[in-house]
Amino acid sequence: MTTSSYVINLDSREDRRNEFFSQTDLIGVKVERISAVHAEATKNSHSTPPGVAACWLSHQKALLRFLETDHNFALIFEDDAIFTTRAARFILEFDSYSKPEFDVLQIGYLDKRGKLDSGARDLHSHLKARINHLLQKIRVSLDSKIHKVGSELLIPDSFEAGTHAYICSRTMAQRLVKFNVPVVLAADLAFIQIARSKKYKYFRLSRSLIGQSDSVSSIHLRQTT
Amino acid sequence: MVKVYIFRENLKESSEFDSFKDLCKAHSFECAEVIFSFKEELDDFEIDRKILIDFLNNGVALALVLKEIPENPAVFIANLANFRRADQIDLLQFDPVRRRVFLDRNRVKFLVENQSVFLVRLLSLKFFDFLDKSANRFRLNQSNFVQRFKNRRIRVLNRSQAAIDFGRQFSRRSKFTSGQTEPGCKQYLISRTCAETLVEFDLENLLSSDMVFLGVSRAGNFRTGRLI
């Protein structure tokens, strides 16, 4: 079982590129850069705003690149991903872990719904996250079949907002490269709806290991340029 | 014009189905039967896609898809016949509200379902007239903040009133909640614009029928809502 890693990054966002690669160099993870689709190229051909369509098409571009290789899994990042120490260990040891069969595994998502997860937590959201984590652990422990990767608990049939870090299987990538074109759903909404349909094996970690930086959103930039 | 698609289980005689079909015809609605063999088929978007293709090949403006016959068929069809502003919506869900286990969720649902009514009442309070007069008196009207607040209040008020009016077009007691479609979409009205997009969507069949409609509603690209 081998995994290849990709990061989606607009040519114009050198700031994010530098920030992202400074982290992966420090961890020692090899990540291939995928030049993101620009909004200009998607204008008037999708029912979503151009930036949203460009984001989904960029994910498909990364998955297409993965399908050219002979790896089993693709680890897809967006360029605003912020790694924690736990994330570094998880990514480095992922291939050696025993894991349940899965199509998509989300390892980073937005903790605070609708807001960017900058990593800096106030007391209220910290307590809320701890309680949430405890409830998730109880929920998983009540489930007869506990899913784990390494020491991380998995929540089945779930995908939260945010597509900045997830792992995709080869078979699912083959399906996803044809899905949602013309773009109707934003990238994370597409994944959320597939997970909720329960036709495929979607999981997310019970806690997000990868946050998002609070740098200016590229989707906004793509809409205005 | 609305074309009504009514689902009927294969080889099953149903007087309820026949009388509903007669009711539709009595109100001059064009009707079509959709035969299914297994209950699971209802969750498959492929069956919806077949209906949407047929609908787009037909000249009518809207399709009403009924995977379940409404609770009060006579009232439902009579209301539908008087529904004059259906062209203002792309996807309208009619399913009855399902009460959930948790009490707090019901409270939230009650607030969400009646949000337009509450917002209109709140924003029409005399307090806001008083604020307006005070702003005039102390010449605060030129301030950007005050202008933005006033415009926003008027916009929300108009939108909420429009939602109330839209709901009442169907029946006096109906409430319309914009963008609030729920899982279990078994009775819906769909426009040609929305159908044209959806016939080409999810050809790989990754989503269940419910999740297609819920996704479209959450994406916010179409005018969607629920009528209860």
Side-chain angles (χ1 to χ4, degrees), chain B residues 42-143:
Chain B
L42 300 181
D43 292 331
D44 191 344
F45 184 64
E46 283 312 307
I47 206 159
D48 297 272
R49 195 192 312 280
K50 278 180 199 158
I51 293 168
L52 298 182
I53 291 168
D54 180 84
F55 160 53
L56 290 174
N57 291 330
N58 201 291
V60 293
L62 296 154
L64 175 67
V65 181
L66 298 172
K67 295 181 181 179
E68 272 175 4
I69 291 172
E71 277 174 17
N72 297 311
V75 178
F76 183 88
I77 289 296
N79 287 340
L80 190 72
N82 295 323
F83 197 33
R84 294 281 167 240
R85 293 169 64 191
D87 56 328
Q88 292 183 343
I89 193 94
D90 288 315
L91 180 70
L92 185 59
Q93 186 184 6
F94 288 100
D95 295 87
V97 185
R98 284 170 180 77
R99 290 286 166 208
R100 309 287 168 126
V101 183
F102 299 109
L103 193 65
D104 58 343
R105 190 173 155 85
N106 279 345
R107 280 190 194 137
V108 171
K109 276 169 88 80
F110 178 74
L111 284 172
V112 168
E113 281 152 15
N114 292 285
Q115 60 175 319
S116 302
V117 179
F118 292 137
L119 274 172
V120 166
R121 289 204 180 155
L122 182 76
L123 296 173
S124 311
L125 286 176
K126 291 218 161 149
F127 169 72
F128 289 101
D129 292 337
F130 171 73
L131 275 187
D132 266 356
K133 278 179 191 161
S134 306
N136 270 335
R137 189 180 173 133
F138 297 106
R139 294 182 185 170
L140 294 171
N141 262 349
Q142 279 128 7
S143 141

Side-chain angles (χ1 to χ4, degrees), chain A residues 100 104-106 109 132-133 135-141 143 145-149 152-160 195 201-207:
Chain A
V104 167
L105 168 63
Q106 189 182 25
Y109 46 88
N132 198 24
H133 186 224
L135 288 173
Q136 283 174 349
K137 268 192 169 174
I138 293 168
R139 188 183 141 195
V140 173
S141 63
D143 197 335
K145 204 173 174 188
I146 298 171
H147 302 288
K148 267 177 139 185
V149 175
E152 300 296 332
L153 289 168
L154 305 185
I155 309 288
D157 301 322
S158 180
F159 197 98
E160 286 286 320
K201 294 183 180 89
Y202 269 55
F203 291 95
R204 72 173 163 89
L205 299 186
S206 65
R207 72 171 97 186

Side-chain angles (χ1 to χ4, degrees), chain B residues 82-210:
Chain B
N82 295 323
F83 197 33
R84 294 281 167 240
R85 293 169 64 191
D87 56 328
Q88 292 183 343
I89 193 94
D90 288 315
L91 180 70
L92 185 59
Q93 186 184 6
F94 288 100
D95 295 87
V97 185
R98 284 170 180 77
R99 290 286 166 208
R100 309 287 168 126
V101 183
F102 299 109
L103 193 65
D104 58 343
R105 190 173 155 85
N106 279 345
R107 280 190 194 137
V108 171
K109 276 169 88 80
F110 178 74
L111 284 172
V112 168
E113 281 152 15
N114 292 285
Q115 60 175 319
S116 302
V117 179
F118 292 137
L119 274 172
V120 166
R121 289 204 180 155
L122 182 76
L123 296 173
S124 311
L125 286 176
K126 291 218 161 149
F127 169 72
F128 289 101
D129 292 337
F130 171 73
L131 275 187
D132 266 356
K133 278 179 191 161
S134 306
N136 270 335
R137 189 180 173 133
F138 297 106
R139 294 182 185 170
L140 294 171
N141 262 349
Q142 279 128 7
S143 141
N144 269 346
F145 173 77
V146 174
Q147 280 300 327
R148 267 208 310 274
F149 180 74
K150 272 176 82 172
N151 290 341
R152 189 160 171 76
R153 180 187 149 232
I154 292 166
R155 220 169 37 236
V156 174
L157 196 60
N158 289 343
R159 205 169 50 211
S160 306
Q161 190 59 53
I164 295 173
D165 293 344
F166 183 82
R168 284 185 182 156
Q169 281 288 316
F170 188 72
S171 82
R172 270 203 65 76
R173 296 183 65 188
S174 297
K175 288 183 196 93
F176 173 69
T177 50
S178 175
Q180 292 284 334
T181 56
E182 289 256 327
C185 193
K186 293 201 164 37
Q187 301 168 5
Y188 63 88
L189 190 76
I190 190 165
S191 73
R192 293 186 78 83
T193 329
C194 191
E196 276 162 9
T197 303
L198 290 188
V199 285
E200 298 293 326
F201 182 64
D202 192 22
L203 296 168
E204 303 71 32
N205 207 10
L206 302 190
L207 303 178
S208 64
S209 170
D210 256 6

Side-chain angles (χ1 to χ4, degrees), chain A residues 79-196:
Chain A
D79 56 5
D80 55 350
I82 297 285
F83 294 77
T84 59
T85 7
R86 288 178 76 94
R89 203 177 61 206
F90 183 84
I91 293 163
L92 288 170
E93 293 176 14
F94 179 75
D95 284 337
S96 62
Y97 288 144
S98 67
K99 39 194 169 280
E101 202 182 311
F102 71 88
D103 290 308
V104 167
L105 168 63
Q106 189 182 25
I107 58 173
Y109 46 88
L110 301 184
D111 281 349
K112 290 169 262 178
R113 195 173 281 271
K115 285 182 186 172
L116 285 181
D117 172 21
S118 61
R121 281 182 177 166
D122 56 286
L123 182 66
H124 175 253
S125 43
H126 179 73
L127 281 173
K128 215 169 135 188
R130 297 290 294 178
I131 292 167
N132 198 24
H133 186 224
L134 188 71
L135 288 173
Q136 283 174 349
K137 268 192 169 174
I138 293 168
R139 188 183 141 195
V140 173
S141 63
L142 288 174
D143 197 335
S144 56
K145 204 173 174 188
I146 298 171
H147 302 288
K148 267 177 139 185
V149 175
S151 59
E152 300 296 332
L153 289 168
L154 305 185
I155 309 288
D157 301 322
S158 180
F159 197 98
E160 286 286 320
T163 42
H164 52 279
Y166 64 92
I167 302 168
C168 181
S169 72
R170 175 166 284 276
T171 46
M172 196 65 203
Q174 282 161 347
R175 293 182 189 110
L176 288 174
V177 291
K178 291 181 230 153
F179 176 65
N180 196 24
V181 180
V183 183
V184 175
L185 308 179
D188 53 358
L189 186 56
F191 281 116
I192 290 169
Q193 297 309 103
I194 299 173
R196 292 183 69 185

